Every structure is written in C-alpha cells, then in structure tokens.
C-alpha cells in the first residue's frame, strides 16, 4: 500500500539547518512528499538521528519545495485533478499566513511568509506559477480558486523586491529570483484568467526588472558578481525560468549577450566529463543540486547553446538516476522562437579577469587557478589555489561548502588550510584580491601581495605538450615559514626520494602523476597527514600534503602528468628562475618561473 502523502501545514525554516551537528553532513531527506517529519529524527549517513526545531523547519522547506516541483511535473504529465487540488490547498494555506511574516527568521534575512526567507518563498513560487501556466494550456475552468494565491505571490515578490532595491541591492541574487517569482506568478494569473500577459514591463523590462538586474549583476567576463559557480548558476537559472515563452530574438541584444556569456562561463569551467568545480562557497555534491544543473542546462541549450554543457547534463542525469523525472522533456519548447547562435567550445587557456579565474587545459588535465577578488559575500581565503581535474576525476577540487548552519565546518571549508593554496607562518590569508600578471594561449601568471603583510606570491601555470607545470614563488622582506599545500579529493600516494623530487600518485577514474621540487639549498619538509575530504562528507579523510620551508624566497615547482599522456616525465630540475623537465624520449622542456 502506497504511503499517504500530504502537503505540510507548517511554515518552512532555513534549509541550511538540515545538517548533522556531529558530522557536518546534510541529513537524509526521506520521503519529502510525505509531509511528515521522519519518525525518530532525520538520519545522518554516520548513524545519527537528529530532531530539533531548526532541523524540522529545514526539512519542511525541502518538503514544500519538493511539492512545488512535483506539482509542476504533475501538470506536465496530465495529472490535472491532483495538481489543481493541491494548488487549491496551498492557496488556503498561504491565505492563512497572510497576517504576518515568518517570526523565527534570522535578523539578516529578508523575511518570507511561508519560509524564513523571501528568497525561499520566491523559489517555491516560481514552480507554483509554472504548474499553473502548464495547466492553463488545457483549460482554465478549475483554476479560479488558485487566483488569490497567484495574486498574493506577485504582490509579495513586488514588496520584497522593493525592500531590496530600496537598500541599493539590485544586483543581489535575491532580486533575480524575486523577478522570476513575480514574472511566473503574474504570467500564471493572466493565463488562468484567459488574458494576454502584460507583466513584462514590471518584471522583465522595468527599472528593477530582470534585464536591469542582469546588467548590473554580471561582469564583463560573464561571471555573476559573487564569483561562485553555484550562485552564478543560481542567477542564470532564475533568469531562464523567468523568460518562459519569450522569443530569444526579442530579448534586448545586450541582455542576450549577458545570458550567452553566463552560459559560456559554465561551459568553460566544466571538465570534458561534466564536472563543475564548486568555486567559492557552493555545495560540493547533493542530489538537489544535480537536478538544478539539469534544469539549467535543459533551458540554456534552448536559448543560447554552449558546447560543453551536454556533458554537465549527462553527469547530472547519472547522479539523479531514477530521480530525473524526465525534466528535459518537461522543459522542451520553453521559449517561443529558435535559439540564439551557438557558442564556440573553449580551448587552451581561458581567463576571466574580473572574477579572477583561469582555466588551463593540458593533455588530460583540466586546471583552474583562483587569483581574483575575495568572492563577494561567499568568498574563501584561497588566493592562488590551483584545482586539478581529469575528465571525470576531481584530483584536487575546490572542496565546496557544508550547509551554512554548521559553523565549525563552514569556517574550516572557507579557510586557507582547506585549499590547495599557500600559507605563511601557519596563518590564514587575509580576505584579499590577487592580480593577473600575464597570460597567453599556453600559460597564465598571477600574483597576490596582500594575503600576508610584506609577502608577495606569484603562481605561473603552463600547459606543456604532455603535462602541466606549476611554479609557485613566495618572497618576503625577511625569512618566513612558507607552506605550499596539496589538498586531494581522491586517494593519494606520496613518496619522498633521496636526491630527487617527491613523487605523488593521484587515483580515481583517471590517474595523475606528480613530481615536486623546490629551490635548491633550501630545506623543505614534505609533511603528509589525514585531512577532511570535500564538503559533502567532512568525515571522509584524504591525505593532505604540506611542503614547508623557512626562507625569504622560495619556489615550489610541480609537474603533473595524466597517465594517458606521454612521453613520460623522467625528472625535473629547478635552477634559479628556470625549471627543466626531462622526458622519456630524451627531450627536455624549460620553463621560467613567474616571480
């Protein structure tokens, strides 16, 4: 007998509270459509059962959001009777909450009615609106009872947007979703009334509409201002959802350019196998995130196709398995006209000078150098981090972030210690920005001078014919304890060798080999120790490696080679400002440091 399912009658809280306090992992969702918090508490993957008001409120967020998504799917699949009945039920619930905003929200939040945050209300409202729009395509006679809900959702989005823009926060990612909610709810109300939609001036074209938001929130290099993969996709997905039924050719040319650039950013940072690095505060892995990426790609490919996003969608489907729900088919034909011209696939070196990222592709290695601003409101202390990926293997990934309510692990994953960056005297980097010094089609060089007082660090990354070369030089006005850090996301072997470079072997779907040396005459301690793996499970340990020396100036040189590439590296030698890499075919390549 199928389990009884019902819509929760309680307000939702803050979903980030859905985390195990002991282990830092997101708790198991259980049957979110059951409408009842799991008996005995929410399960942790490490055996805990957690039950508190905050966790219950967070689970209720997940349940309401799942119901809104479920209603959109029901509408698409012909489950009209149940979809309408549930929408009418939500209309009654929302009306019953009309007298007040959420009383338990944190002080920094823009408060919602059904949830702590107005942002969460908006995300929920977008799916509710699209469920009604789809239903109205086959008739409106039974949608009258839903109209008060749709009208209230539009008013709530308008009021919340007014608060934000009154604070001068047009660029906030909240604004993107409030515009999407207003557009979706008002379009749905017009459809249910059998009227043409007249809300474009308010929600798309107006002074505080979607187009105005995108013009100020996205930099010239295509990145959303926060410099976070997740929040970049978060804003782009809101925009694509807001533009349902739009003719791509009718979107203002500059806005179309912004959407194309944002889509191109994701294609450039994604690996050939569809891995998207969790740069600056995104979740590392979670099934709801895979669903979001799949939704985004399904919409983006219809509007501004970009080579590389197919792999992202394919990987998301693998992660979702049976939970896919045929989303691609549901979103087919979302826009009213043919897509804009296809974007060319990135190659070689791609530099994003405003966000401060460089992507370097070399013989089976997909590397990212992080040198830019602190990352808006979601930055980590990670300047000059170097992330390493294979097609489908996160050898040295950005570790991502745990749900924000876990303060201790959130601090850890924002720290310098958790990243493949550098430290001086064991201290954390300051919140700071680096600078691009040079780039060409094979290399990129960046520096940071304000991470530590009186210290300059330069990192040069070069795509050689058969390997990747990494040269990190740190210079101070006096001797400091300087540490270069390896932070694997996979199993790692480390071998110190007498009179030769330290060797590393990185495992996964693909294997990576590393050789590591440093300035001659400076004693370096290669220290390996257990450290937490990526943020989806802080209890999973990985081998952290610190190369540490006392020096006024030191260069750490590393060469990485995918096992599939050749000829094999046989040795390396650092002499002054030049690194020599010897190969099995008898040839040698030479590289200048950037310092």
């Amino acid at each position: 007998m199928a389990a009884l399912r019902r819509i929760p009658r309680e307000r939702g809280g803050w979903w980030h509270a859905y985390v195990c306090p002991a282990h830092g992992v997101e708790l198991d969702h259980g049957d979110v459509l059951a409408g009842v918090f799991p008996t005995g508490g929410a399960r942790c993957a490490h055996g805990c059962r957690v039950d508190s008001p905050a966790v219950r409120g967070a689970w209720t967020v997940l349940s309401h959001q799942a119901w809104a998504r479920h209603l959109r799917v029901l509408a698409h699949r012909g489950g009209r009777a149940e979809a309408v009945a549930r929408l009418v039920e939500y209309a009654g619930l929302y009306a019953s909450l009309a007298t007040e905003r959420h009383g338990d929200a944190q002080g920094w939040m823009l408060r919602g009615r059904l949830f702590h945050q107005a942002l969460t209300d908006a995300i929920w409202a977008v799916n509710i609106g699209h469920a009604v729009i789809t239903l109205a395509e086959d008739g409106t006679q039974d949608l009258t009872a839903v109209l008060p809900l749709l009208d209230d959702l539009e008013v709530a989005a308008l009021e919340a947007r007014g608060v934000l823009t009154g604070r001068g926060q047009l660029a906030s990612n909240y604004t993107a979703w409030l515009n999407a909610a207003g557009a979706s709810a008002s379009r749905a109300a017009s459809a249910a009334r059998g009227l043409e939609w007249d809300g474009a001036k308010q929600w798309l074209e107006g002074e505080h509409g979607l187009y105005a938001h995108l013009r100020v929130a996205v930099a010239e290099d295509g990145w959303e201002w926060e410099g976070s993969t997740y929040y970049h996709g978060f804003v782009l997905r809101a925009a694509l959802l807001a533009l349902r039924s739009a003719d791509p050719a009718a979107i203002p040319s500059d806005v179309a350019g912004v959407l194309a650039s944002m889509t191109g950013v994701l294609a450039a940072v994604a690996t050939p196998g569809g891995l998207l690095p969790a740069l600056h505060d995104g979740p590392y892995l979670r099934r709801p995130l895979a669903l979001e990426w799949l939704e985004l790609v399904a919409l983006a490919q219809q509007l501004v196709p970009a080579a590389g996003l197919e792999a992202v969608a394919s990987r998301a489907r693998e992660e979702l398995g049976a939970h896919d729900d045929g989303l691609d088919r549901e979103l087919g034909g979302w826009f009213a006209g043919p897509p804009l011209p296809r974007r060319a696939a990135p190659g070689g070196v791609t530099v994003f000078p405003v966000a401060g990222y460089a992507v370097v592709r070399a013989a089976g290695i997909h590397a990212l150098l992080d040198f830019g601003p602190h990352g808006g409101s979601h930055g980590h202390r990670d300047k000059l981090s170097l992330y390493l990926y294979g097609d489908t293997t996160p050898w040295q990934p950005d570790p991502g972030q745990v749900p924000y309510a876990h303060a201790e692990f959130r601090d850890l994953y924002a720290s310098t210690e958790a990243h493949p960056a550098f430290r001086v005297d064991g201290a954390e980097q300051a919140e700071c920005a680096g600078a691009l010094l040079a780039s060409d089609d094979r290399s990129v060089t960046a520096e940071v001078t304000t991470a530590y007082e009186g210290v300059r660090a330069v990192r040069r990354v070069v795509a050689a014919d058969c390997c990747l070369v990494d040269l990190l030089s740190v210079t101070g006005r006096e001797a400091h304890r300087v540490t270069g850090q390896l932070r694997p996301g996979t199993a790692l072997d480390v071998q110190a060798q007498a009179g030769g470079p330290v060797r590393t072997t990185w495992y996964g779907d693909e294997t990576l080999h590393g050789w590591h040396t440093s300035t001659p005459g400076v004693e370096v301690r290669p220290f390996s120790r257990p450290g937490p793996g990526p943020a989806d499970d802080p209890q999973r340990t990985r081998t952290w490696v610190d190369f540490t020396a006392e020096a006024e100036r030191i260069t750490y040189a590393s060469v990485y080679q995918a096992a599939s590439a050749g000829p094999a590296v046989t040795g390396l030698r650092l002499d002054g400002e030049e690194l020599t890499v010897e190969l099995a075919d008898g040839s040698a390549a030479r590289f200048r440091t950037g310092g």
Side-chain angles (χ1 to χ4, degrees), residues 124-170:
W124 176 82
V126 168
N127 277 325
I128 293 294
H130 286 305
V132 175
I133 293 169
T134 299
L135 291 169
E137 292 171 355
D138 294 322
T140 62
Q141 67 281 359
D142 50 358
L143 298 178
T144 301
V146 184
L147 285 170
L149 171 62
L150 299 173
D151 292 340
D152 279 354
L153 292 177
E154 182 181 11
V155 169
L158 187 62
E159 290 177 350
R161 191 185 71 177
V163 173
L164 274 182
T165 56
R167 297 173 181 170
Q169 295 176 340
L170 178 60

Side-chain angles (χ1 to χ4, degrees), residues 104-266:
D104 298 325
Q106 285 88 339
W108 57 268
M109 292 179 178
L110 186 63
R111 295 186 178 192
R113 183 190 295 186
L114 184 58
F115 304 96
H116 272 194
Q117 291 177 281
L119 173 62
T120 319
D121 271 39
I123 294 169
W124 176 82
V126 168
N127 277 325
I128 293 294
H130 286 305
V132 175
I133 293 169
T134 299
L135 291 169
E137 292 171 355
D138 294 322
T140 62
Q141 67 281 359
D142 50 358
L143 298 178
T144 301
V146 184
L147 285 170
L149 171 62
L150 299 173
D151 292 340
D152 279 354
L153 292 177
E154 182 181 11
V155 169
L158 187 62
E159 290 177 350
R161 191 185 71 177
V163 173
L164 274 182
T165 56
R167 297 173 181 170
Q169 295 176 340
L170 178 60
S172 168
N173 61 57
Y174 273 51
T175 311
W177 279 96
L178 291 167
N179 276 316
S184 301
S186 65
R187 188 187 292 274
S190 294
R193 291 184 170 101
L195 303 174
E196 289 292 321
W197 184 52
D198 63 357
K201 290 193 178 300
Q202 175 70 270
W203 297 110
L204 302 181
E205 303 162 1
E207 180 184 4
H208 301 134
L210 178 69
Y211 298 162
H213 163 76
L214 291 173
R215 285 171 177 137
V216 299
V218 182
E220 308 88 79
D221 62 3
W223 275 92
E224 195 264 349
W225 69 275
E226 292 171 276
S228 161
T229 312
Y230 177 73
Y231 288 96
H232 179 95
F234 189 65
V235 167
L236 178 57
R237 189 164 60 94
L240 297 172
L241 289 166
L243 290 170
R244 180 172 181 167
S245 301
D247 182 348
I251 297 173
S253 59
D254 66 318
V255 174
V258 168
L259 295 170
S261 295
M262 294 183 78
T263 304
V265 160
L266 295 176

Side-chain angles (χ1 to χ4, degrees), residues 91 291 298 364 372 433 451 491 534 558 582:
L291 187 63
S558 297
E582 298 167 348

Side-chain angles (χ1 to χ4, degrees), residues 297-373:
V297 173
L299 293 171
Q301 292 291 65
Q302 295 179 52
L303 185 66
V304 282
L309 292 186
E310 297 94 337
V312 173
S314 178
R315 185 169 186 86
R317 289 188 199 96
E318 291 178 10
E319 293 176 10
L320 288 167
H323 299 267
D324 179 348
D325 285 335
L327 185 141
D328 300 64
R329 295 185 296 278
E330 178 197 342
L331 298 176
W334 196 265
F335 303 105
L340 300 169
R342 187 177 185 86
R343 304 279 291 188
V349 174
T350 304
V351 177
F352 299 102
V354 180
Y357 298 122
V359 183
V360 183
R361 305 167 188 86
I365 302 173
H366 187 89
L368 288 95
L369 175 63
D370 180 351
F371 61 86

Side-chain angles (χ1 to χ4, degrees), residues 60-81:
T60 306
V61 173
L62 300 172
S63 183
H64 280 306
Q65 297 290 6
W67 267 106
R69 165 84 179 99
H70 181 61
L71 294 180
R72 194 178 96 183
V73 172
L74 275 178
H76 171 72
R77 292 185 172 180
R80 186 182 189 93

Side-chain angles (χ1 to χ4, degrees), residues 439-465:
S439 67
D440 54 36
D441 60 352
R442 301 293 296 270
S443 69
V444 61
T445 305
E447 72 168 355
V448 60
T449 59
T450 52
Y452 301 96
E453 185 177 357
V455 174
R456 176 178 185 254
V458 177
R459 196 158 207 162
R460 183 167 188 248
V461 182
V462 185
D465 290 338

